[in-house]
Amino acid sequence: MSTSQPTPVRGRFAPSPSGRMHLGNLCCALLAWLSVRSQNGEMLLRIEDLDPDRCTREKAELLMDDLTWLGLTWDEGPGHERTHAPYCQSARRELYESALSELRAKNDVYPCFCTRAELHAVSAPHAGDGTFRYPGLCRNLTPAEAEEKSRTRRPSLRFCAPDKSVTFEDLYCGPQNINVQSTFGDFIVRRSDGVHAYQLAVTVDDALMGVTEVVRGRDLLPSTGCQIQLFHALGHTPPHYGHIPLLVNRDGRRLSKRERDLDIGVLRTRFTPEQLLGRMANLLGFLDRPEKITLTELIPVYKAWYETADTPKFPKNCVVPDNFAIK
């Protein structure tokens, strides 16, 4: 939650309709909503459905129904159309292509013909987290060499990441310093199958939709540097970012949609919205007890917590009690 923004706060929740939301997704939506409402800002809902194999309209409709049930309303988005429509990424591909054309004109992107197997053969996972740094194998291909390779393989497109640190103040984690080149190398902005990469799509959408604040999971913190570099390359000002802890079980396993951990479909059968809000607020640390509370009542509670809590304001991970989903 920023205290010195020159323009009205405009936040967003941008879920992927690849499955039913779980408790971690809900906590992220709640914190994004509370941060915006505590600053009298506007909330936008965007559906990130770039992956045609996993995302469906039916899942998106169910996602919006779950948000509405909890009371996490939005000022702009599906059902509340305004000037920034459409709100599904699958309908915004022309905007992403326009951004790529701009990057091409500046020589900020180049075709990459490397296969996953080739990259694994020459790279080791960065910091042991399974993320591979691209070693720049195709960065200096001549036009003739790229033309020759394109005859047998369709390329992806990579962004030429500057070799310098990106610094920013995270709303929850404090000062950050990320060198994208040393961490990821030149990253993909369009896949070889033509699907636009998350890094490009989310940057273009946040820029064109006037988003000034992004609250999301801590797993996306490292990639923030990629997005900030793209913002600058496209001539836009990056939003303020706040990354919240990942929810894990007692064995340290991260909650996932695939394994239906604390699925909202289950939670809706066991709690009222006020009961679930109280449990989430208690889990996140700005409510002392898991008592029933309304969203209206939570706004000043969250604001007081944010203004008095030390930074970093959360632990890296947040352990969900075994009895969370028990009445």
Side-chain angles (χ1 to χ4, degrees):
M1 181 176 61
S2 175
T3 58
S4 59
Q5 295 193 58
T7 56
V9 175
R10 186 170 168 82
R12 52 86 160 168
F13 182 54
S16 174
S18 58
R20 199 77 182 263
M21 288 191 295
H22 59 63
L23 184 63
N25 306 131
L26 291 179
C27 285
C28 185
L30 174 62
L31 281 167
W33 191 94
L34 287 173
S35 183
V36 166
R37 298 307 186 202
S38 67
Q39 300 172 87
N40 298 314
E42 290 189 336
M43 192 68 188
L44 182 142
L45 177 67
R46 185 171 71 233
I47 305 299
E48 298 195 340
D49 59 346
L50 282 176
D51 190 337
D53 296 329
R54 299 174 61 226
C55 301
T56 66
R57 181 174 180 177
E58 291 75 19
K59 291 176 183 176
E61 294 287 346
L62 186 58
L63 185 153
M64 289 186 283
D65 181 72
D66 288 334
L67 291 174
T68 301
W69 173 80
L70 198 57
L72 300 177
T73 55
W74 52 96
D75 302 295
E76 182 173 1
H80 300 275
E81 283 75 10
R82 282 164 50 181
T83 57
H84 299 96
Y87 303 104
C88 293
Q89 287 186 333
S90 59
R92 299 176 62 83
R93 294 190 175 100
E94 289 185 4
L95 298 173
Y96 309 145
E97 280 300 311
S98 177
L100 286 176
S101 295
E102 184 176 342
L103 293 174
R104 282 195 193 92
K106 300 177 181 178
N107 293 318
D108 283 338
V109 295
Y110 62 89
C112 174
F113 301 89
C114 297
T115 65
R116 185 179 298 271
E118 289 170 339
L119 294 180
H120 284 202
V122 299
S123 303
H126 176 76
D129 63 0
T131 299
F132 285 81
R133 178 188 177 276
Y134 180 67
L137 300 178
C138 293
R139 187 170 191 171
N140 296 315
L141 290 177
T142 66
E145 289 171 330
E147 175 66 24
E148 177 66 24
K149 286 180 176 291
S150 67
R151 294 175 184 173
T152 56
R153 179 172 175 80
R154 183 175 181 177
S156 61
L157 287 180
R158 290 186 181 271
F159 176 74
C160 299
D163 188 11
K164 60 182 180 180
S165 293
V166 174
T167 60
F168 63 98
E169 184 78 17
D170 190 276
L171 303 177
Y172 299 115
C173 301
Q176 302 296 312
N177 186 311
I178 301 171
N179 187 302
V180 174
Q181 184 56 239
S182 64
T183 304
F184 301 104
D186 297 338
F187 54 90
I188 289 177
V189 288
R190 191 179 68 191
R191 298 180 344 197
S192 60
D193 61 1
V195 174
H196 298 96
Y198 168 80
Q199 307 291 10
L200 177 75
V202 72
T203 300
V204 171
D205 289 343
D206 284 343
L208 298 184
M209 292 181 173
V211 172
T212 65
E213 179 178 291
V214 173
V215 174
R216 58 190 183 185
R218 194 182 178 110
D219 56 323
L220 294 172
L221 178 55
S223 68
T224 303
C226 301
Q227 291 153 42
I228 290 176
Q229 286 189 341
L230 282 174
F231 265 101
H232 292 317
L234 292 169
H236 295 283
T237 301
H240 297 276
Y241 292 94
H243 292 85
I244 71 169
L246 300 180
L247 299 191
V248 298
N249 291 330
R250 289 198 178 277
D251 60 5
R253 180 173 55 84
R254 179 181 164 189
L255 301 187
S256 69
K257 292 179 182 177
R258 184 176 302 170
E259 299 177 35
R260 299 179 62 82
D261 286 306
L262 297 174
D263 185 297
I264 188 173
V266 175
L267 296 173
R268 284 181 65 164
T269 67
R270 297 179 174 175
F271 302 115
T272 66
E274 292 78 14
Q275 289 172 327
L276 185 54
L277 289 170
R279 288 202 170 213
M280 287 194 292
N282 175 249
L283 178 64
L284 292 166
F286 49 89
L287 196 63
D288 292 335
R289 296 185 302 169
E291 58 191 10
K292 291 193 297 184
I293 192 168
T294 66
L295 279 169
T296 300
E297 293 167 335
L298 259 182
I299 293 173
V301 172
Y302 168 83
K303 185 174 183 179
W305 168 84
Y306 184 89
E307 293 174 349
T308 59
D310 295 333
T311 299
K313 299 184 182 299
F314 293 113
K316 185 174 182 179
N317 293 330
C318 191
V319 179
V320 181
D322 292 336
N323 65 349
F324 186 93
I326 298 175
K327 287 185 179 181

